[in-house]
Amino acid sequence: MNFESGVKKSEGDQSSTVYERVSESRSFKKLIRERKKFIIPLTVFFLLFYFALPVLTSYSTILNSPAVGEISWAWVFAFAQFIMTWVLCIVYVKKSASFDKQSKRIIDEQLNEGGNTQ
């Protein structure tokens, strides 16, 4: 089997790429589903939270009232965005590490199935 330039050349399989073989595997499809299940809600939450501040400060006065002394809710909300960004970053880094492990496992499985253990 030859993996040069991503093209697998072996008996019976003519010019199918390694990626095509991996992408058709059940474990790869499961990984893609899990990644989507994780990243889409996280992205939606981030965008809603991020755009809430400019929308609320531009079109309403709800954040103008004081929260603590002279500090208004707008400042509290803005500071919360920094915290939210750090938390989402930490969650993403931890989750992506598990996705990387799954990816490596899938690649190893596919290479072993093809008879190539290098």
Side-chain angles (χ1 to χ4, degrees), residues 40-55 81 84 88:
I40 290 174
L42 205 67
T43 303
V44 169
F45 171 76
F46 173 81
L47 291 173
L48 288 174
F49 199 86
Y50 178 78
F51 286 112
L53 181 63
V55 168
Q81 287 190 338
M84 181 265 310
L88 291 183

Side-chain angles (χ1 to χ4, degrees), residues 1 21 25 107-117:
M1 185 176 315
R21 191 177 65 172
S25 72
I107 290 169
D108 289 344
E109 284 173 9
Q110 292 300 314
L111 288 177
N112 288 335
E113 273 185 19
N116 188 351
T117 57

Side-chain angles (χ1 to χ4, degrees), residues 33-45:
R33 269 194 316 272
E34 287 178 9
R35 283 181 48 193
K36 282 183 184 175
K37 225 165 82 176
F38 170 71
I39 204 70
I40 290 174
L42 205 67
T43 303
V44 169
F45 171 76

Side-chain angles (χ1 to χ4, degrees), residues 95-108:
K95 192 69 176 179
S96 68
S98 75
F99 290 143
D100 288 346
K101 286 178 186 173
Q102 283 180 293
S103 298
K104 181 165 178 17
R105 195 176 325 123
I106 290 168
I107 290 169
D108 289 344

